[in-house]
Amino acid sequence: MSMDKDNFGLTKKEKIMSKIIFITGASKGFGGLWAEALLKRGDKVAASARNIDALQDLKDKYGDSILPVKLDVNNRTEVFEVTEQVEKHFGRIDVLINNAGFGLFGTTEETTEQQAREQMETNFFGSLWVAQAVLPVMRKQRSGHIIQISSFLGLTTLPLLGLYNASKFAVEGLIETIGSETAHLGIKTTLIEPNGFATDWAGASAVQASSDITDYNPVREAFAETGDNPDIWGKPEATVEPVLNLIDNQNPPQRLLFGKIAYHVVNEVYTKRLHDIQNWKEVSIAAHGH
């Protein structure tokens, strides 16, 4: 490796260029952590939250480098208005970190219609609205990087997270498609796929479905026992440097797993999937008909 590049393949020039970053869900968790890290190193950040008061500490500390904006990603009209505000304020949008979302815990059968719709509304449609709003800006620039926070549960599944799994599977397909549609315009996309991290995703930010059907108690008990193992939860602070280097990289990956659990589980799942595909090869080809 050249002495002019770091371990991520970044040159000194790439590392020192200031960028305009738009982060949704920036009041806490990954969003808040990454927003402060970006501001600290000299980037300009448009940080959105439903409650703008939660961003006041960052505003007090970093002044004009941060633009706090009140945003509910479920409101498509508001998403477009806020995106226009961000572009007018900073002049461009180099990177979108599409981070807003929440977890819904409960068996599929016990999930209510309202809970299911709200899960998809925020995790999928919210991501769609923000991407649609930012794409015209990036097309005009002929450059940009959409970083979508997905989950390793967009590639595999866990019980009691059926609607969450489904929302992330949908997001995976959405962002991969956008990447194929916009690559010739200089727009790149990356799906970050974390395993569980010690944020409030599974705590205050989570929604619980009912647990009245006792037939599912063994599944709930096994899930709770796994969650009690502290080793499965990643440290949010450890994601800062990888995110900064992802943003700076000129050739970012289409997908990036975050966490050792995500890496090992997805690797095992895809190995098995490929094995099944090969085992049923003749049936698959015969089903084509000619």
Side-chain angles (χ1 to χ4, degrees):
M1 179 177 293
S2 169
M3 294 296 290
D4 294 330
K5 294 185 177 182
D6 68 6
N7 291 334
F8 290 84
L10 300 177
T11 65
K12 292 179 180 178
K13 181 179 179 182
E14 288 170 340
K15 290 174 74 71
I16 62 174
M17 289 180 64
S18 176
K19 291 182 171 65
I20 309 300
I21 319 288
F22 181 16
I23 306 179
T24 65
S27 62
K28 54 189 174 182
F30 284 143
L33 193 66
W34 299 342
E36 179 150 27
L38 288 160
L39 290 163
K40 186 175 181 180
R41 76 169 191 171
D43 289 313
K44 310 288 188 186
V45 174
S48 85
R50 289 195 180 199
N51 179 11
I52 202 169
D53 293 339
L55 300 168
Q56 190 58 49
D57 286 347
L58 289 178
K59 181 64 176 175
D60 292 341
K61 190 171 183 180
Y62 295 101
D64 292 340
S65 292
I66 180 172
L67 174 66
V69 287
K70 185 178 182 299
L71 176 62
D72 177 359
V73 297
N74 295 341
N75 185 329
R76 189 174 186 271
T77 299
E78 186 173 278
V79 168
F80 276 78
E81 290 173 349
V82 166
T83 302
E84 183 179 0
Q85 178 187 351
V86 171
E87 184 193 12
K88 285 183 177 179
H89 185 85
F90 284 124
R92 59 187 295 112
I93 299 173
D94 297 310
V95 179
L96 165 66
I97 301 181
N98 220 352
N99 176 60
F102 69 94
L104 171 61
F105 291 78
T107 67
T108 305
E109 183 179 351
E110 293 168 302
T111 301
T112 67
E113 178 182 354
Q114 181 178 350
Q115 288 172 331
R117 291 186 181 280
E118 288 175 351
Q119 179 76 125
M120 296 302 294
E121 189 69 36
T122 298
N123 289 12
F124 175 72
F125 285 105
S127 296
L128 171 60
W129 305 150
V130 179
Q132 285 184 330
V134 166
L135 280 169
V137 180
M138 293 184 173
R139 280 194 297 105
K140 183 169 59 178
Q141 298 168 175
R142 286 299 193 263
S143 67
H145 188 186
I146 294 174
I147 299 175
Q148 173 70 48
I149 310 308
S150 179
S151 169
F152 84 125
L153 298 179
L155 300 172
T156 185
T157 64
L158 282 176
L160 303 187
L161 284 159
L163 271 297
Y164 180 81
N165 298 333
S167 73
K168 293 304 185 179
F169 265 69
V171 162
E172 292 275 329
L174 172 69
I175 300 303
E176 182 176 310
T177 303
I178 290 173
S180 68
E181 292 169 343
T182 62
H184 69 292
L185 301 172
I187 301 170
K188 300 163 185 174
T189 63
T190 297
L191 286 147
I192 292 180
E193 296 149 338
N195 51 227
F197 276 77
T199 65
D200 66 352
W201 173 82
S205 295
V207 174
Q208 298 284 340
S210 68
S211 56
D212 296 333
I213 303 176
T214 58
D215 282 344
Y216 292 118
N217 285 350
V219 179
R220 281 188 274 268
E221 290 164 6
F223 186 85
E225 185 176 336
T226 301
D228 287 339
N229 178 4
D231 192 50
I232 71 168
W233 300 98
K235 297 179 179 179
E237 298 79 9
T239 67
V240 169
E241 194 64 23
V243 164
L244 297 183
N245 281 284
L246 173 65
I247 288 170
D248 293 339
N249 204 294
Q250 295 300 302
N251 295 293
Q254 186 178 69
R255 287 178 167 82
L256 181 59
L257 295 167
F258 269 14
K260 64 182 182 181
I261 305 299
Y263 175 81
H264 290 303
V265 169
V266 172
N267 188 58
E268 181 179 336
V269 166
Y270 270 75
T271 298
K272 184 179 184 302
R273 285 179 184 172
L274 286 171
H275 184 262
D276 288 345
I277 288 169
Q278 290 302 318
N279 279 349
W280 288 82
K281 173 183 175 182
E282 298 304 324
V283 176
S284 298
I285 292 173
H288 190 71
H290 60 86

